Amino acid sequence: MKNYFLLIATFSVSILYSQGIKVPLDTMVVTNHSVVINGQNLSYQATAGTQPVWDAKGEPIATLFYTYYKKSNSEKEKRPIIFSFNGGPGSASAWMHIAYTGPVILNIDDEGYPVQPYGVKANPHSILDVADIVFIDPVNTGYSRMVADKDGKMPDRKTFFGINADIKYLAEWMNTFVSRKNRWESPKYLIGESYGGPRVMGLSKELQNSQWMYLNGVILVSPADYKIYSTDQPIYSALNLPYFTAAAWYQNALSPALQQKDLLDILPEVEAYTIDKVMPAIAKGGFISEAERNQVAEKMSLYSGLSKSSIIDHNLDVPTSFFWKELIRDKGYTIGRLDSRYLGIDKMNAGNSPDYNSELTSWLHSFTPAINYYIREELKFKTDVKYNMFGNVHPWDRQYDRTRDGLRQAMAQNPYLKVLVQSGYYDGATTYFAAKYTVGQMDPSGRMKDRVSFKGYRSGHMMYLRKEDLKTATEDIRQFILESTPKQGEAAKY
């Protein structure tokens, strides 16, 4: 990666105060670079900047930090553009920015563990060869902040911090961005990781119905469906069983008969058993017969590496937190939540859940210094505002979550729109089988299933941290974009 020269431009010189800190309201810094992708040298322009969020009176109420990568000397109006969001809610865009699709990646080992010196290096697998990319930090993440009015009063937090509020203001912001950058003619894509999944599902409908901006594709990376996670319905815990199998297989905790098989030879039978037997058994609650309870618990034990007695003690409804603590307790370790390849050490071997998330502490180890260095020193955007890897966005209003159906409606209205789902088999937070279940429930008629594809990887929530999966997953996105960009003259119709 090489800087050729530096350009600085501003739409406004306004700098507002947010809680006593100078916040750049509407600025940008442009630098030029090059990267080798799949053996070909690609020159690109990086814009790191802020763009306001306005209220109904046209007054700024927040400013969002973004990083925009555009291939140099290209017909940008015809070139695809992808808008990238992480999740949380309250998470910055750093994760996919400097570890997945962008032109640089972390200095980490081949399995994703931190190494020193910290920093970044060129990403030979970036998707910048097929699409320009915008990484967006919602309010209170990254350098994005609410801003006070002329009287020093901060805006109502409900304007930003909730499922539907988040979608509404981000869609408005994107409209302004697309107009400023002259990208209305470009094929458009959204990618969202974790909570970014429901965010971009909701945005797909909001952009079409309120901004009249139609998409070509939505990419869901380890999506979190709160129609599953925010209910008290115990039947949804059944969806964890295939993940239990995958994590136990990786940790060599299954029976010898299963352990000698390849993971992908085991999972289809576990998925079928989950839907056909485990969900109905849990749904029966206390009305299940002792014979069926014992039969299901025995099979779950076989597929999970947990004891039959511990499964019965949980009434077949085994919490994931217990699984992370229990699976290899006899070896003195816990396993990671977001990626169960990672190991942790607790103060006590006893207990029902781990003391900490071993994978997240590992990731923050390498991400935090890298993103702060990269934005300041290579993208030349300098500010005294702290870069929030995680920001204060709570309480978060989860009411009226219609994001799943929003994506279905957007697809129904727009024959161009296709969906790619990417999940890691060892992700215990937003499990791969829950993601499969989500897209099945999104389109219960099955009439649009040929426009939805699923890709699984032998890693966790951020599958791209593993070198082998980074290469495969970015190639899957690349092919998805190429295949979902219509040929010239191809009409959007059924």
Side-chain angles (χ1 to χ4, degrees):
M1 185 175 57
K2 180 180 180 182
N3 289 0
Y4 288 109
F5 57 86
L6 174 68
L7 299 172
I8 300 180
T10 60
F11 289 114
S12 165
V13 295
S14 298
I15 295 180
L16 300 186
Y17 280 84
S18 174
Q19 299 175 341
I21 302 172
K22 290 182 179 180
V23 177
L25 177 65
D26 200 350
T27 63
M28 65 179 184
V29 179
V30 182
T31 52
N32 286 280
H33 310 260
S34 65
V35 64
V36 176
I37 301 175
N38 291 331
Q40 299 294 316
N41 189 70
L42 182 145
S43 297
Y44 65 93
Q45 189 178 78
T47 302
T50 57
Q51 178 185 291
V53 177
W54 292 284
D55 64 12
K57 298 178 182 178
E59 297 296 329
I61 55 176
T63 184
L64 301 192
F65 179 74
Y66 67 90
T67 311
Y68 171 40
Y69 296 101
K70 179 176 70 70
K71 183 181 178 182
S72 301
N73 304 317
S74 65
E75 288 188 77
K76 64 180 181 181
E77 295 81 5
K78 304 297 193 298
R79 185 169 156 79
I81 185 170
I82 183 166
F83 296 88
S84 180
F85 296 94
N86 275 88
S91 175
S93 66
W95 312 96
M96 290 198 291
H97 184 175
I98 60 169
Y100 194 11
T101 54
V104 302
I105 50 174
L106 294 169
N107 285 332
I108 50 179
D109 76 1
D110 288 354
E111 292 298 314
Y113 291 91
V115 295
Q116 291 185 337
Y118 300 121
V120 294
K121 57 189 176 184
N123 181 7
H125 308 295
S126 172
I127 62 169
L128 194 54
D129 58 328
V130 294
D132 297 336
I133 316 169
V134 190
F135 294 95
I136 302 169
D137 290 325
V139 173
N140 277 8
T141 73
Y143 295 133
S144 301
R145 297 291 190 274
M146 293 187 289
V147 295
D149 63 18
K150 62 181 182 300
D151 298 320
K153 183 180 178 181
M154 300 298 287
D156 188 343
R157 292 173 65 88
K158 293 180 181 178
T159 306
F160 308 106
F161 304 141
I163 288 178
N164 296 301
D166 178 78
I167 290 166
K168 182 176 176 57
Y169 89 82
L170 287 173
E172 292 278 357
W173 188 94
M174 290 173 63
N175 186 308
T176 301
F177 184 92
V178 167
S179 294
R180 283 186 172 186
K181 305 301 183 185
N182 193 24
R183 301 306 298 254
W184 277 102
E185 294 179 276
S186 302
K188 299 171 188 68
Y189 294 81
L190 302 178
I191 182 170
E193 179 180 84
S194 197
Y195 182 83
R199 173 178 280 145
V200 299
M201 285 194 287
L203 276 170
S204 65
K205 178 185 175 184
E206 181 71 11
L207 288 169
Q208 286 187 188
N209 290 6
S210 298
Q211 306 299 328
W212 310 287
M213 185 185 299
Y214 285 71
L215 304 173
N216 286 73
V218 171
I219 302 164
L220 306 175
V221 180
S222 306
D225 182 0
Y226 288 88
K227 288 286 190 181
I228 295 173
Y229 299 124
S230 291
T231 72
D232 293 324
Q233 297 292 327
I235 62 168
Y236 290 129
S237 73
L239 300 174
N240 293 325
L241 183 58
Y243 151 71
F244 288 167
T245 303
W249 182 88
Y250 182 84
Q251 297 295 350
N252 200 32
L254 294 177
S255 67
L258 288 179
Q259 202 65 56
Q260 67 183 3
K261 294 183 179 181
D262 184 72
L263 176 63
L264 299 188
D265 292 331
I266 306 170
L267 291 181
E269 67 179 82
V270 183
E271 292 174 10
Y273 188 78
T274 294
I275 297 297
D276 296 340
K277 299 295 183 180
V278 181
M279 288 188 90
I282 293 176
K284 292 178 182 178
F287 291 95
I288 192 172
S289 69
E290 284 302 308
E292 184 179 4
R293 187 198 305 271
N294 277 281
Q295 183 183 52
V296 171
E298 189 167 342
K299 197 76 166 181
M300 288 179 67
S301 174
L302 176 69
Y303 286 144
S304 68
L306 300 177
S307 68
K308 176 183 174 181
S309 61
S310 69
I311 294 170
I312 290 177
D313 287 345
H314 284 98
N315 301 321
L316 309 181
D317 179 14
V318 180
T320 48
S321 56
F322 175 78
F323 177 77
W324 304 324
K325 179 75 175 185
E326 176 70 13
L327 182 65
I328 53 174
R329 190 195 301 258
D330 59 337
K331 297 178 181 177
Y333 293 106
T334 62
I335 62 172
R337 169 179 174 261
L338 293 159
D339 192 329
S340 294
R341 297 175 301 146
Y342 289 71
L343 303 180
I345 300 176
D346 281 357
K347 182 178 181 180
M348 295 189 300
N349 211 33
N352 292 316
S353 61
D355 291 349
Y356 65 101
N357 293 335
S358 53
E359 78 297 332
L360 188 57
T361 55
S362 174
W363 296 340
L364 287 168
H365 195 161
S366 50
F367 271 93
T368 309
I371 191 67
N372 279 277
Y373 158 78
Y374 175 64
I375 292 175
R376 294 180 65 85
E377 302 304 323
E378 296 199 15
L379 299 186
K380 306 301 181 183
F381 187 92
K382 299 190 179 185
T383 174
D384 288 336
V385 177
K386 182 177 76 170
Y387 190 92
N388 285 338
M389 296 295 290
F390 299 104
N392 179 12
V393 301
H394 298 287
W396 188 269
D397 185 357
R398 299 186 186 275
Q399 298 183 86
Y400 312 116
D401 176 7
R402 301 185 181 93
T403 55
R404 184 197 286 174
D405 193 62
L407 178 56
R408 183 208 61 78
Q409 185 174 330
M411 292 179 69
Q413 293 173 342
N414 178 6
Y416 276 154
L417 182 52
K418 296 181 180 180
V419 176
L420 169 64
V421 182
Q422 297 184 304
S423 293
Y425 296 119
Y426 308 132
D427 179 3
T430 58
T431 66
Y432 88 90
F433 193 57
K436 282 188 173 182
Y437 185 84
T438 290
V439 293
Q441 296 300 307
M442 177 192 73
D443 175 32
S445 72
R447 295 184 64 185
M448 294 187 291
K449 64 183 179 182
D450 61 331
R451 291 158 60 190
V452 180
S453 54
F454 174 86
K455 300 291 184 179
Y457 309 92
R458 294 176 187 250
S459 44
H461 194 72
M462 296 195 288
M463 70 289 297
Y464 44 84
L465 294 181
R466 182 170 178 256
K467 184 177 181 180
E468 182 178 333
D469 289 322
L470 170 66
K471 181 178 180 180
T472 304
T474 49
E475 184 59 28
D476 289 337
I477 293 178
R478 182 175 288 104
Q479 291 305 313
F480 175 73
I481 290 173
L482 292 173
E483 292 168 7
S484 57
T485 302
K487 299 178 177 64
Q488 187 171 359
E490 183 180 344
K493 64 179 181 179
Y494 289 114

